[in-house]
Amino acid sequence: MAYVAVSGGEEAIEASIRLLSYYRSGTEKDLELEVIQEKMSLLVDRVMSEAGLYSKTYAALALKQCEGSSDEAVFLLRAYRSTLKRSYDSLVADTRDMRLVRRISAAFKDIPGGQMLGASYDYTHRLMDFDLQREDAAALCQKMHQTVADQEPVEIAPCGRVSDELKTEGLIDRFEQDNEEPYDVTQNLLEFPVPRSARLQTLSRADTGFISGLAYSVLRGFGQVHPTVGELRCGYVEIEVPYLEDAAESLWIGEILLTDVEVFNEADDKDQLKLACGYGAVMGRNENKAIAMAVLDHELDTTGDYPTQNDEFVLLHGDSLEMNGFISHLKLPHYVTFQSKLDAVRKTRRERHDG
Amino acid sequence: MEKRRISRILARASKEQVRSLADAVKATHSPVIVKAPEKSLAMVRMREPVRESLFHLGEVIVCEAIVDLDGAKGVAVLMGDDFEKVLDMAVIDAACNKGVFAGYGELERLEKEQTLRLEKENAMFLQTMVSFQSMDSEVAP
């Protein structure tokens, strides 16, 4: 494939960029960032997760700027992120300590700490609510604030993992803490085979649709596993960074909402004496993505000929920015390359006609 | 009071509440900005439960500031881009390090208020706790 620089069209391009505003000008009402952030939070979560950058406000701004396109918003956030230096690595966060807002298990009905449904569309009828066409947002906000204010406070207690119990029984392998420096896919190219840390980071920031589709293919038979969701937890994880003036101290800089999933699979040893696990963790509330990640995490531990068992296939094709960028490049002028294809076809036709 | 605890209270407090505490320091001292507030990134490291290994979840936007108060340094880092708040937090940190911060009582009051709000929210979530009616044992004999 050859690329040849072409010039011309600058004025048309500038006019095209200006015209983008036309598509956001159909109403005199502004779409405030706070509204996007608070009322489109699942979309905001998806964009943050795929960008690998947790900032609700900036994700909302990016979505506003590009008319709600999640892949354009990811592009904007990644581009902005590249202008900032990285000053800190956080202390190690562990979702065992998260402030839970939802926790379920499809493996056991009785789990230590109990199952808490939290807020989920899983239990709704999916009927359109036409009352929302004329919703009193202020009344809703006040009502929910009052609901919280009226509660009797209950102390927040972290919950152990479902897998901890199975590890105690010896049904799942227990590993010692591994403090090896994790790979960083934002600063290094992937080299195969990749370390586990690179796999998890890549899957966590992968396009939701891509990894959901791949996990679906595994479940439909193009893979080795049909896992059970041992535990799905969603909640807030506190983020701390070292205090530079005193190594014994740390600074609490905020908390992030994330979804964390462990799936249990059929035994992967020949005697089938133990269960195998897959893990998924994604920014925000995005349960299907976290489950899909956990499915693929385990699938990549297996060997075989399915695409989902191939590290390179799974990890190199799911990045929102890269895949959309590459597909998008097909729209760029390919005049010379196409002309040569056309010439080849014409030549073949001529030869057959003459022959 | 540990830095972790102070920074958590301040991070959860409103900008106005933090400003009020910083203003009390500034009324008697003149902190000098060593590093003006600026944005940067912090990478979130996590431990995964399957192999107990570490991985990077992704980055968060943070802002940070450093001030000097009569020879004592004050450092603040905060998720987001609230430059005024992070600067006020750095002033409070410097006052703590200098031993002239008089707002610990107010910090404890704010912490109680924050904990109460979170515990009330927790109570609301706990209303969705499932109570299963068991029909037979799920544990194989």
Side-chain angles (χ1 to χ4, degrees):
Chain A
M1 192 158 40
Y3 294 91
V4 175
V6 293
S7 63
E10 288 89 347
E11 286 178 13
I13 288 169
E14 281 170 18
S16 169
I17 292 169
R18 283 198 302 275
L19 198 55
L20 284 172
S21 297
Y22 181 70
Y23 283 94
R24 297 195 304 108
S25 67
T27 172
E28 290 188 355
K29 291 178 183 165
D30 184 31
L31 185 56
E32 293 176 16
L33 296 188
E34 183 182 308
V35 176
I36 301 173
Q37 191 177 312
E38 298 301 326
K39 291 188 184 286
M40 291 286 148
S41 54
L42 295 178
L43 178 59
V44 167
D45 285 352
R46 176 176 176 166
V47 166
M48 292 193 302
S49 166
E50 293 176 10
L53 181 67
Y54 196 96
S55 172
K56 290 186 174 187
T57 313
Y58 290 5
L61 175 61
L63 282 164
K64 180 178 182 177
Q65 186 175 331
C66 62
E67 303 167 60
S69 158
S70 64
D71 52 294
E72 279 294 332
V74 167
F75 201 154
L76 288 168
L77 283 180
R78 289 266 186 97
Y80 181 68
R81 171 222 166 261
S82 71
T83 67
L84 298 174
K85 68 175 180 186
R86 187 187 296 166
S87 301
Y88 296 94
D89 282 320
S90 81
L91 302 187
V92 175
D94 193 328
T95 51
R96 278 187 182 89
D97 305 322
M98 71 173 18
R99 177 161 64 86
L100 293 166
V101 296
R102 173 166 160 81
R103 178 176 185 248
I104 57 162
S105 171
F108 303 101
K109 63 180 186 301
D110 295 315
I111 54 175
Q115 298 206 35
M116 183 168 72
L117 302 183
S120 172
Y121 290 102
D122 290 354
Y123 321 112
T124 65
H125 292 300
R126 270 80 173 198
L127 299 174
M128 295 280 279
D129 181 357
F130 291 98
D131 290 343
L132 293 184
Q133 291 180 118
R134 297 187 186 281
E135 188 179 33
D136 185 342
L140 173 69
C141 185
Q142 286 156 17
K143 180 183 157 194
M144 292 315 295
H145 272 101
Q146 193 56 50
T147 302
V148 174
D150 291 343
Q151 303 294 317
E152 278 300 314
V154 180
E155 193 178 345
I156 297 166
C159 260
R161 290 182 175 283
V162 170
S163 60
D164 288 343
E165 301 288 315
L166 296 173
K167 285 175 186 171
T168 304
E169 285 187 57
L171 297 173
I172 292 176
D173 279 329
R174 187 191 292 277
F175 291 84
E176 291 296 312
Q177 280 201 349
D178 173 2
N179 291 318
E180 189 179 325
E181 186 64 19
Y183 196 86
D184 187 354
V185 302
T186 68
Q187 299 192 337
N188 303 285
L189 288 173
L190 287 179
E191 288 180 18
F192 295 91
V194 299
R196 178 167 174 74
S197 55
R199 177 202 290 179
L200 294 178
Q201 187 183 9
T202 303
L203 289 175
S204 183
R205 55 197 247 133
D207 181 85
T208 305
F210 177 79
I211 65 168
S212 299
L214 287 184
Y216 181 43
S217 78
V218 173
L219 304 182
R220 285 197 66 247
F222 293 88
Q224 290 293 324
V225 299
H226 190 301
T228 304
V229 173
E231 181 173 357
L232 182 153
R233 49 172 62 200
C234 183
Y236 292 90
V237 174
E238 301 186 343
I239 308 298
E240 292 171 52
V241 297
Y243 183 66
L244 299 180
E245 300 296 305
D246 182 352
E249 297 263 24
S250 65
L251 292 177
W252 193 96
I253 62 168
E255 53 186 6
I256 62 174
L257 180 63
L258 60 88
T259 309
D260 171 285
V261 169
E262 268 187 286
V263 295
F264 304 148
N265 300 279
E266 296 82 359
D268 57 355
D269 60 331
K270 65 180 172 56
D271 297 324
Q272 302 202 329
L273 295 174
K274 287 188 176 178
L275 295 171
C277 300
Y279 179 65
V282 299
M283 289 176 176
R285 288 159 59 213
N286 192 340
E287 298 182 0
N288 281 1
K289 181 177 176 185
I291 294 169
M293 175 176 167
V295 170
L296 294 172
D297 176 38
H298 178 57
E299 184 72 0
L300 288 171
D301 280 340
T302 64
T303 52
D305 295 328
Y306 294 118
T308 48
Q309 293 172 310
N310 183 322
D311 271 21
E312 197 168 338
F313 182 86
V314 173
L315 301 180
L316 282 189
H317 298 111
D319 185 80
S320 172
L321 181 60
E322 288 174 9
M323 73 181 186
N324 285 304
F326 210 82
I327 291 170
S328 182
H329 106 280
L330 297 174
K331 293 181 287 186
L332 297 175
H334 285 65
Y335 305 141
V336 176
T337 50
F338 183 68
Q339 200 59 50
S340 84
K341 281 182 193 169
L342 210 52
D343 288 347
V345 172
R346 283 181 176 138
K347 185 181 170 195
T348 307
R349 286 168 63 92
R350 253 195 323 270
E351 284 169 357
R352 288 202 180 163
H353 186 262
D354 293 346
Chain B
M1 204 182 271
E2 283 182 338
K3 299 285 180 198
R4 179 186 188 281
R5 187 174 164 200
I6 297 172
S7 54
R8 185 166 70 173
I9 297 167
L10 293 175
R12 283 181 169 161
S14 71
K15 184 181 194 150
E16 291 71 27
Q17 288 168 331
V18 175
R19 184 188 299 143
S20 166
L21 286 163
D23 282 349
V25 174
K26 287 189 263 187
T28 50
H29 297 79
S30 303
V32 177
I33 297 174
V34 175
K35 182 179 181 184
E38 65 174 17
K39 277 185 266 187
S40 67
L41 299 167
M43 175 56 92
V44 176
R45 287 170 172 238
M46 289 201 23
R47 186 174 300 285
E48 53 88 16
V50 176
R51 300 281 167 84
E52 295 290 340
S53 62
L54 304 179
F55 75 102
H56 293 120
L57 179 76
E59 291 163 315
V60 295
I61 288 183
V62 298
C63 52
E64 53 183 333
I66 300 176
V67 302
D68 182 280
L69 189 144
D70 302 337
K73 210 176 261 187
V75 180
V77 187
L78 179 66
M79 269 174 61
D81 61 359
D82 193 335
F83 284 4
E84 289 172 21
K85 184 174 173 182
V86 81
L87 191 58
D88 284 338
M89 286 171 66
V91 168
I92 293 166
D93 185 54
C96 292
N97 291 343
K98 187 69 183 172
V100 297
F101 183 63
Y104 288 108
E106 177 62 5
L107 286 181
E108 283 176 5
R109 191 192 68 75
L110 288 172
E111 187 180 43
K112 272 187 191 159
E113 199 176 274
Q114 292 162 359
T115 304
L116 181 66
R117 186 178 56 76
L118 289 174
E119 289 183 349
K120 285 186 170 192
E121 191 183 273
N122 186 45
M124 186 175 67
F125 283 108
L126 287 173
Q127 286 172 8
T128 65
M129 189 70 82
V130 183
S131 174
F132 284 106
Q133 301 300 313
S134 190
M135 284 177 277
D136 57 19
S137 170
E138 64 187 330
V139 179

